[in-house]
Amino acid sequence: MENLMFCYQCEQTFGGKGCTKSGVCGKIPEIANLQDLLIYQLKGISCYAKPLIEAGKNIDKDIVKFVENCLFTTLTNVNFDAEAHVRLLKESQRIKEAVREQAPEGEYAQAAAYTLSETKEDMLKDSIMAGIMYDQNLDEDIRSLRSTVLYGLKGISAYGHQARFIGYQNDEVDHMYFLGLEATTNDKLTLEDMIRMTMRIGETSVQVMKLLDEANTTRFQNPSPHKVNVNRKKGPFIIVSGHDLHDLEMLLEQTKGKGINIYTHGEMLPSHGYPELKKYKHLVGNFGSAWQNQQKEFDGIPGCILMTTNCLMKPRDTYKDRIFTTSVVGWDGVTHIGAKEDGSKDFHEVIEKALELGGFQDEEDKQEILVGFGHHETLSHAEDIVKAVKDGAIRHFFLIGGCDGARPGRSYYTDFAQLVPKDCVILTLACGKYRFNKLDFGTVAGLPRLLDVGQCNDAYSAIRIATALADVFETDVNSLPLTIVLSWYEQKAVADLLALLSLGIKGMYLGPSLPAFLSPDVFQYLVDTFNIKPISTPEDDLKAALKQAVL
C-alpha cells in the first residue's frame, strides 16, 4: 500500500489544500489512516444508533462516552500513538456489533456493514475506503458539508468530554454525535438537508458550551479577576497544558505540601481565575506562551509537563523523559497516566520525576497579566459598561478570539489589537490571545481595555455577554457596536464558529486563511447568509468595523 494520507481538518494543512505525505501537525500516514478508519467505524455505529434514538431509546452512556472519546482522539494534535488507535478500533467493532443487534432490520450504509480486520496491517489496507476523497463521484458541496459536520462534532466532543469528566452530560448533545455522524453517510440527504444539519451542529455546540460552563462554574466557582505571574520561580515544578480543569485540580491536590510549583501553559491560563483552583498557593503562575511554541519552550527544562487535552507536538528527545500524557492524549513512547474506575488519577510518577529534576535554580522578577473576565464577572459591570457606551466613553467592542498557530499571517491579530483605538474594549478568548496578552492596553471607563474571557469553550461567555448587552440596549447582537475577529486552527474553532452562526451572528472576520474543507459554493453561502469576511489587512478591517453599528 502506498504510504499516503489525506487530511484537511486544520488551518495549517499543507498548501491550504490537504496534507498527503505527513501532517503539518506531526501526524504520519499510519496514524492518519487509522483515524480515518476509526471515524468510519463511528459512522457505522451511528447508522444503527439513529433508528434507536428516533424510537425514543437512549444509547448506553458507555457507548456515548466511547464515541465522544474517539472523536476527541482524532482531533488535531491530540493522539499520535498507533497502538492506542488499534485498541479503539477493536473496541469499536465490539460496540458496533452490540448496537447492530438492537437496531431494526433495514438497509444501512457501507460503514455499518463493514467488519473490522484482525491486524493493524489489514486495517491500514481497509482504511483507503474510509478516506475523505475515496468516493470520487461525491458532489463537492456535499463532501464539504459532511466534513464541516464531522469537524464540528470533533470540536463538540472536546467540550463534552471535559464536562462528562466532572459529571455533567446532556442527552441532546449525546444524541447529536450519532445523528450528525449518520448524516455524513446518508446519500439521501440533499444540500439543503446538510445545511440544516450543519446549523444543528452549531446549536449543539452552544448547548455543550453552556453545559461545560455550568460544570466548571459549579465545581470551581465563577471566574473572577486575578493577576497571574508569567515568570519562573525557584524550585521543582510541573507545567500543566491543555484544557481540563479537573486534571489540574487533581494534580494540585496531590502536590500539596510537596514543595512543587505548578504552572499552567497554553489554554490552561484561564484556570487562574477560578476561586476553587486559585486557592492552591502552589499554583504559582503561567509558563511560556501558546501551544505551538512548546518544543522550544520545553527544551531541556528541569521540570515535568502534563498534557491533559489537545495541543501536543512531537516531543523533542531533550524532554521526552519528562513529558506525560493523560486522558485521550498520546504519543508513542511517552508515559501515559490513565484513569481508574472511579475517574481518579494517580500522578505520583509525574511528582517523583519533578522532584528528581530539581526545578529552576533561580527566579525572575514577577511579571503579571490579568485573567478572569467570564460572563459573570464582566456582566457585574454591565451598568458601568452601558453608561460608558451611552456617554461615548466606550465606542466599540472587539472580540479577538480563537486558536493560535505557527503559520505566517497570525501577526495580523497582534497588529489589529494594537491598532484598536483607546476608546474601545478588546475581549479575547482561547490561545490566540498569546499574540498580545502581555501588552499593556490600559483602561477605559474604569475597566481594563483587554478582558480575558477564558478558554475556547468560553465562547459561550462571550455569547452571554453580547446577548445581555443587546437586551439592555433593546436591540440584537448584530446591532451592537461589536466586531468579532476569529482566528481558527482546529476543530473546536469550527464548533465555535458554527455556534455563532447558529445564533444568527453576522459580519464576522475569519482568518488567517479559509478552511480547505469549505468548497467555493459552501463558502459563498456563508458569505451571502452571514456576511462572513476573510481577513484582509488590520488597517482596512478595523476601518470597516468602526463604521458599523453605533448605538
Side-chain angles (χ1 to χ4, degrees):
M1 181 181 67
E2 196 174 2
N3 201 26
L4 291 176
M5 57 180 277
F6 184 85
C7 181
Y8 62 1
Q9 69 179 7
C10 89
E11 188 268 334
Q12 301 199 139
T13 193
F14 186 75
K17 295 180 180 179
C19 293
T20 56
K21 294 182 180 177
S22 65
V24 173
C25 65
K27 184 166 59 176
I28 60 174
E30 179 183 58
I31 301 296
N33 294 329
L34 289 172
Q35 289 189 351
D36 284 348
L37 191 59
L38 183 56
I39 292 296
Y40 191 69
Q41 284 285 80
L42 299 187
K43 290 177 180 181
I45 292 167
S46 299
C47 290
Y48 293 123
K50 182 190 175 186
L52 297 174
I53 292 168
E54 289 175 338
K57 298 177 182 176
N58 275 330
I59 304 300
D60 186 289
K61 290 302 176 188
D62 285 339
I63 295 175
V64 176
K65 185 177 178 180
F66 176 81
V67 170
E68 185 175 73
N69 281 359
C70 290
L71 284 167
F72 194 5
T73 296
T74 65
L75 190 140
T76 301
N77 289 95
V78 173
N79 196 300
F80 302 82
D81 185 342
E83 294 313 311
H85 287 85
V86 170
R87 287 194 297 272
L88 290 172
L89 278 161
K90 289 180 177 177
E91 180 64 18
S92 73
Q93 185 62 32
R94 288 192 289 271
I95 287 173
K96 184 159 71 172
E97 289 169 6
V99 181
R100 181 189 289 150
E101 287 182 10
Q102 301 173 49
E105 289 189 11
E107 286 188 26
Y108 291 97
Q110 186 180 355
Y114 167 72
T115 298
L116 184 74
S117 294
E118 292 292 323
T119 67
K120 182 173 74 172
E121 291 68 30
D122 286 337
M123 290 177 195
L124 286 166
K125 290 175 185 175
D126 293 349
S127 70
I128 294 171
M129 67 180 178
I132 297 163
M133 297 296 178
Y134 179 67
D135 183 356
Q136 294 292 312
N137 297 317
L138 186 64
D139 178 84
E140 72 166 343
D141 297 331
I142 292 289
R143 191 193 316 275
S144 174
L145 289 167
R146 286 181 177 184
S147 295
T148 306
V149 165
L150 173 60
Y151 301 152
L153 288 171
K154 288 189 181 191
I156 288 167
S157 75
Y159 301 148
H161 185 276
Q162 281 177 259
R164 198 179 306 275
F165 193 28
I166 49 178
Y168 285 73
Q169 59 89 30
N170 176 298
D171 286 345
E172 289 182 33
V173 173
D174 291 352
H175 289 163
M176 189 50 66
Y177 291 136
F178 301 100
L179 300 179
L181 284 165
E182 189 277 337
T184 67
T185 72
N186 194 331
D187 293 331
K188 295 176 183 176
L189 297 183
T190 65
L191 203 58
E192 290 72 23
D193 293 331
M194 288 305 296
I195 288 171
R196 279 194 291 273
M197 178 55 74
T198 306
M199 289 302 103
R200 285 182 70 186
I201 298 299
E203 292 162 7
T204 306
S205 182
V206 175
Q207 280 183 296
V208 78
M209 286 193 285
K210 180 181 179 182
L211 179 72
L212 182 53
D213 178 80
E214 181 188 355
N216 284 339
T217 57
T218 301
R219 187 175 186 101
F220 308 113
Q221 298 183 17
N222 282 299
S224 56
H226 283 92
K227 289 183 176 178
V228 183
N229 178 38
V230 295
N231 282 343
R232 71 188 186 201
K233 291 176 67 72
K234 186 176 180 179
F237 65 91
I238 299 169
I239 297 164
V240 186
S241 192
H243 305 75
D244 205 299
L245 303 184
H246 187 31
D247 277 326
L248 174 60
E249 178 188 38
M250 287 190 287
L251 181 67
L252 286 166
E253 191 61 33
Q254 291 177 38
T255 48
K256 271 197 310 190
K258 288 186 165 62
I260 296 175
N261 292 324
I262 305 297
Y263 297 89
T264 55
H265 172 265
E267 282 253 59
M268 272 295 187
L269 170 61
S271 62
H272 291 270
Y274 290 91
E276 286 299 302
L277 296 172
K278 193 63 179 175
K279 71 182 183 183
Y280 293 95
K281 300 305 178 190
H282 60 302
L283 180 61
V284 298
N286 190 72
F287 179 89
S289 53
W291 67 272
Q292 77 274 2
N293 300 320
Q294 66 188 256
Q295 290 172 319
K296 177 179 161 186
E297 292 174 349
F298 295 165
D299 195 5
I301 56 172
C304 292
I305 308 109
L306 176 66
M307 302 297 297
T308 67
T309 56
N310 56 311
C311 304
L312 173 66
M313 296 179 75
K314 180 180 180 179
R316 291 181 178 176
D317 289 341
T318 56
Y319 62 89
K320 197 171 183 181
D321 67 329
R322 59 202 65 182
I323 188 168
F324 297 80
T325 62
T326 191
S327 186
V328 295
V329 192
W331 192 284
D332 183 34
V334 168
T335 301
H336 184 81
I337 309 295
K340 300 177 186 175
E341 281 289 320
D342 62 359
S344 66
K345 297 179 183 180
D346 181 355
F347 291 115
H348 79 273
E349 286 183 83
V350 191
I351 293 166
E352 288 171 8
K353 187 69 176 178
L355 291 170
E356 175 196 322
L357 289 166
F360 295 123
Q361 299 305 304
D362 59 356
E363 60 183 74
E364 302 166 310
D365 291 337
K366 184 181 285 189
Q367 181 190 351
E368 295 179 321
I369 57 176
L370 190 62
V371 302
F373 285 91
H375 60 85
H376 183 269
E377 174 62 30
T378 302
L379 291 175
S380 72
H381 301 279
E383 193 174 317
D384 295 333
I385 293 171
V386 170
K387 185 178 186 302
V389 172
K390 288 182 175 176
D391 292 347
I394 295 178
R395 180 173 24 154
H396 205 90
F397 298 89
F398 290 91
L399 173 61
I400 306 176
C403 305
D404 204 5
R407 182 198 278 252
R410 289 186 183 270
S411 59
Y412 167 96
Y413 299 93
T414 314
D415 297 340
F416 191 101
Q418 290 180 299
L419 287 169
V420 168
K422 295 194 184 321
D423 59 355
C424 301
V425 173
I426 300 170
L427 298 135
T428 187
L429 50 84
C431 61
K433 61 174 157 266
Y434 281 103
R435 293 278 164 178
F436 49 81
N437 67 347
K438 290 182 182 176
L439 303 176
D440 184 3
F441 288 92
T443 61
V444 60
L447 282 170
R449 283 188 58 230
L450 181 67
L451 301 178
D452 187 341
V453 178
Q455 294 183 342
C456 46
N457 48 277
D458 290 310
Y460 176 72
S461 260
I463 292 165
R464 283 284 300 274
I465 292 165
T467 52
L469 289 176
D471 289 344
V472 172
F473 287 111
E474 298 181 345
T475 185
D476 59 43
V477 171
N478 290 320
S479 300
L480 287 173
L482 167 70
T483 300
I484 299 175
V485 184
L486 296 178
S487 63
W488 81 282
Y489 175 72
E490 37 80 310
Q491 297 81 65
K492 285 181 295 177
V494 176
D496 293 353
L497 176 63
L498 294 180
L500 294 167
L501 296 180
S502 76
L503 294 167
I505 295 175
K506 298 183 178 181
M508 290 182 281
Y509 289 84
L510 181 64
S513 64
L514 295 176
F517 55 82
L518 290 183
S519 66
D521 286 346
V522 169
F523 180 69
Q524 191 59 48
Y525 171 83
L526 295 178
V527 171
D528 294 343
T529 310
F530 300 103
N531 194 25
I532 280 191
K533 303 165 186 174
I535 61 171
S536 59
T537 67
E539 294 82 1
D540 288 348
D541 291 346
L542 183 62
K543 187 176 177 182
L546 288 171
K547 284 182 180 176
Q548 70 176 71
V550 178
L551 292 171

